[in-house]
Amino acid sequence: EGKVDPENLVSTSIYVTVEAYDTVAVVAPTLTGRTARMISRFRLPVWIIAVSPEESTCQALQFSYGVFPVYQQYRPTDWEKFARNWLADHNLHGDLALLTQGSGTGVSGHSNRIGFIDLTQPMSDIIAW
């Protein structure tokens, strides 16, 4: 009652961030495509890169506005590195990319985090604290 699910909060936050900052893309790892579709409803002016190991998910996402489905058979060990490389390989340049992520519990369909990737800083200059 009166509660908003985390994926709705994540997608709304992504919309607000894209409107406020020079965002080049949103990278959304997904098994089902739900998060990418929820973000898509805002008709963002940037690509939503939906990365999935499921071919059927990639096929279904072709019908979602602004979603660029990417079939990736194996889960990258470093999503930020994957996002940076993918964006560079596809000539997408800007100051910021967003990365949605799940809780890490292994349960599909639960994206509840947003990562901010500062593309003005090279990967080697980023220090994990």
Side-chain angles (χ1 to χ4, degrees):
E1 245 177 60
K3 290 187 178 182
V4 179
D5 67 276
E7 286 175 314
N8 196 16
L9 289 173
V10 166
S11 62
T12 302
S13 297
I14 286 172
Y15 164 71
V16 170
T17 303
V18 167
E19 291 295 312
Y21 296 97
D22 178 24
T23 307
V24 67
V26 177
V27 179
T30 185
L31 291 174
T32 64
R34 183 169 189 261
T35 301
R37 283 191 300 276
M38 289 188 71
I39 298 166
S40 173
R41 68 192 164 136
F42 292 107
R43 299 193 178 274
L44 301 178
V46 300
W47 284 108
I48 302 160
I49 313 304
V51 185
S52 181
E54 301 292 334
E55 289 182 33
S56 59
T57 297
C58 290
Q59 288 175 339
L61 286 171
Q62 290 180 18
F63 299 101
S64 295
Y65 181 90
V67 176
F68 191 100
V70 175
Y71 174 70
Q72 179 73 24
Q73 187 174 6
Y74 300 105
R75 180 181 180 87
T77 56
D78 185 336
W79 277 106
E80 180 175 341
K81 184 177 179 181
F82 174 87
R84 285 174 176 273
N85 289 339
W86 195 94
L87 295 170
D89 290 348
H90 291 83
N91 269 340
L92 294 174
H93 304 284
D95 293 342
L96 180 72
L98 302 178
L99 173 64
T100 66
Q101 292 184 294
S103 62
T105 61
V107 178
S108 69
H110 296 284
S111 292
N112 58 15
R113 289 190 255 170
I114 304 171
F116 297 84
I117 302 172
D118 183 353
L119 298 172
T120 65
Q121 297 293 317
M123 186 77 169
S124 60
D125 290 350
I126 297 172
I127 299 171
W129 206 72

